[in-house]
Amino acid sequence: NLAITDITFLVCCVPFTASLYPLPSWVFGDFMCRCVNYLQQVTAQATCITLTAMSVDRCYVTVYPLHSLRHRTPRMAMAISLGIWIGSLVLSIPFAMYQKLSTGYWYGPQIYCIEAFPTIIHQKAFILYTFLAVYLLPLITICVCYAFMLKRMSRPVVEPIDNNYQVQLLAERTEATRTKISKMVVVIVLLFTICWGPVQLFILSQAFDSGFQQSYETYKLKIFAHCMSYSNSSINPIVYAFMGANFRKSFKKAFPFIFKQKVACTTRAVGNTEMHFVSSGT
C-alpha cells in the first residue's frame, strides 16, 4: 500500500508540477486541473496515513507481541489499506471542488489552475486541516509509537544463570536487533520531518503570515519545498524495504527468476575463469 501511494503520488505530482515551471500557463484543461490537484492531495494524505498505520502496527507488535498474533492478519491489513484510501478520497473532495481555471497576465494573457475557496476563512481552515492531517498529527503519532517501542526495547534483559553458548548468542542477536531498530526509528522520524516540513511550513506562512510577499526568492523556495516532499516518496522504499532482512528474503522469493539469472551468470563467470587458469597452465 505504501508503494502504491508513493508511486501514484510521484506520477500525479512530478510531471504536472514540473510543467508549471517552464510553461507560462496551465495547458491541461479544467478537468485535469481538478483531477491532478485532487489526486495529489489524496495520495499525499494516503502516504502519511499509511506511514502512521505502519508505525502503530510496529508499536503494537513490539509492545504486545502475543496479542498481535490474533489481529495482524492479511485480511486486517487489506481492510486498513482500503480504509486509508476511502478516507483519503472522501476527505480530499474539497480540493476538486475548489479548483478552477483563472486568467492572468504574465508577458501576455495566461491561464492558471488555482484554488478558489468561497472565503478566506474557508481557505485558511482547509490549509490548517491539511497541515494537521497530513503532517503534524501523523508526526506526533509516529513519534509516540516509536517512543513506546524504544522504551520497551530499552528494558534490561534478565540474564539467565546458565552460561550456555546458545543463550549468550541469542542475547547478542537481540541486542543487535534493538540497535538496528533504534537506528531505523531515528531515520524514519527525521526523514518524515525533514521532507514534509518545508512544504507544510511554506503553505502555512503563505496563508497566515500577513507579511508574506511573493517574489522570485519565495518561488525558488516553493520549488525546493515541493521537491523535498517528493523525495520522501522516493526514499521510503529504501528505508522501509531494503534496510530490513525480511523484505530482502521475501523479495527474492517473489522474484526468483531475477536472482537465478544472477547466480547463473556468476557461476558461468567463475567457470570461464577456471577454464582460463587451466588453459594457461596456472
Side-chain angles (χ1 to χ4, degrees):
N1 193 55
L2 181 65
I4 293 173
T5 57
D6 284 334
I7 292 173
T8 307
F9 179 75
L10 292 174
V11 170
C12 294
C13 287
V14 175
F16 296 98
T17 305
S19 67
L20 296 177
Y21 302 137
L23 298 179
S25 62
W26 180 263
V27 297
F28 302 104
D30 180 70
F31 174 77
M32 292 303 296
C33 172
R34 298 176 183 273
C35 182
V36 167
N37 287 279
Y38 173 68
L39 289 179
Q40 286 181 358
Q41 176 65 16
V42 169
T43 52
Q45 188 158 309
T47 298
C48 297
I49 298 177
T50 302
L51 294 175
T52 306
M54 293 174 66
S55 302
V56 174
D57 174 72
R58 292 181 177 185
C59 181
Y60 183 50
V61 75
T62 302
V63 179
Y64 304 103
L66 297 180
H67 292 283
S68 64
L69 296 175
R70 303 177 183 177
H71 305 100
R72 296 179 73 253
T73 61
R75 180 177 296 181
M76 179 61 69
M78 180 63 69
I80 293 175
S81 299
L82 290 176
I84 290 173
W85 278 104
I86 293 173
S88 299
L89 289 169
V90 173
L91 294 174
S92 302
I93 289 177
F95 263 86
M97 295 173 53
Y98 298 128
Q99 296 288 334
K100 72 172 187 178
L101 297 180
S102 177
T103 57
Y105 189 88
W106 178 260
Y107 295 100
Q110 307 294 344
I111 299 177
Y112 301 104
C113 177
I114 63 171
E115 297 175 352
F117 291 93
T119 62
I120 300 297
I121 297 178
H122 284 81
Q123 181 182 9
K124 291 184 177 181
F126 198 75
I127 290 175
L128 184 61
Y129 155 76
T130 303
F131 173 74
L132 293 175
V134 178
Y135 184 69
L136 186 60
L137 293 181
L139 178 60
I140 293 175
T141 305
I142 291 173
C143 291
V144 170
C145 289
Y146 286 136
F148 274 112
M149 291 173 58
L150 293 177
K151 182 179 179 181
R152 182 61 179 264
M153 291 185 300
S154 63
R155 292 180 180 178
V157 180
V158 179
E159 292 290 343
I161 300 176
D162 186 10
N163 292 326
N164 195 326
Y165 173 75
Q166 293 183 351
V167 175
Q168 294 179 357
L169 183 62
L170 179 60
E172 292 177 358
R173 290 181 178 178
T174 303
E175 186 64 27
T177 302
R178 290 179 176 180
T179 303
K180 289 181 180 179
I181 294 177
S182 300
K183 291 180 179 179
M184 183 178 290
V185 167
V186 175
V187 172
I188 290 168
V189 176
L190 286 179
L191 282 176
F192 184 82
T193 306
I194 294 173
C195 292
W196 283 97
V199 66
Q200 293 296 332
L201 295 177
F202 181 87
I203 295 174
L204 277 180
S205 301
Q206 191 175 15
F208 292 94
D209 187 5
S210 58
F212 183 88
Q213 295 181 353
Q214 294 185 354
S215 63
Y216 186 68
E217 298 300 326
T218 57
Y219 185 70
K220 291 190 293 184
L221 184 61
K222 180 181 179 181
I223 296 176
F224 169 77
H226 278 294
C227 291
M228 288 294 295
S229 64
Y230 302 154
S231 67
N232 187 246
S233 296
S234 303
I235 299 173
N236 278 337
I238 300 175
V239 177
Y240 283 94
F242 294 102
M243 285 184 69
N246 290 334
F247 177 85
R248 292 194 295 269
K249 294 178 181 178
S250 300
F251 190 83
K252 291 180 180 179
K253 186 177 180 181
F255 302 98
F257 58 90
I258 299 177
F259 297 94
K260 285 182 179 179
Q261 292 178 358
K262 185 176 180 180
V263 172
C265 293
T266 304
T267 305
R268 193 180 303 112
V270 172
N272 293 336
T273 304
E274 292 177 349
M275 290 178 62
H276 173 72
F277 286 155
V278 172
S279 62
S280 60
T282 303

